[in-house]
Amino acid sequence: MLENSMEGFVKERIDKVLDMFPDCCRCEKCRQDILVLALNNLPPMYVNSDKGELYTRLNSYDSAHEAKIIQEIAKAVEIVSKHPRHD
């Protein structure tokens, strides 16, 4: 098992942030672009065990950590909304 826990954290919060931007396209391409942009601006949190996943999940409940994730998703939504890669 090798995974970037940050990806899961972003995926868990993306709909909540998209609700703040009702005019943003929610197609799969735009969602993926938002995910990629946000992840590129957040530190990776790789784990290779269930214990590591639990540890990073517990640390993710810090309000500063949560705010940073939401902030980066919101920035990505704004960028993708201005420059969607489709018609």
Side-chain angles (χ1 to χ4, degrees):
M1 166 186 172
L2 177 66
E3 69 179 52
N4 180 1
S5 293
M6 186 60 76
E7 183 176 346
F9 299 150
V10 173
K11 284 179 177 178
E12 289 169 3
R13 291 159 178 84
I14 196 167
D15 287 324
K16 176 181 170 184
V17 177
L18 280 169
D19 288 344
M20 294 184 241
F21 297 88
D23 295 333
C24 180
C25 178
R26 292 172 177 250
C27 77
E28 193 57 34
K29 181 174 273 205
C30 287
R31 289 177 68 86
Q32 289 295 312
D33 287 347
I34 292 165
L35 177 67
V36 168
L37 279 171
L39 285 171
N40 280 334
N41 290 307
L42 289 164
M45 298 179 77
Y46 285 99
V47 296
N48 67 353
S49 69
D50 290 336
K51 187 176 182 180
E53 174 66 23
L54 179 61
Y55 178 76
T56 58
R57 186 155 295 281
L58 288 173
N59 286 335
S60 77
Y61 290 110
D62 172 53
S63 61
H65 185 258
E66 174 84 9
K68 181 66 174 166
I69 293 171
I70 291 172
Q71 177 185 27
E72 291 302 330
I73 297 170
K75 283 199 272 186
V77 168
E78 290 177 356
I79 291 168
V80 171
S81 291
K82 290 179 184 172
H83 307 285
R85 294 188 312 132
H86 59 75
D87 297 331

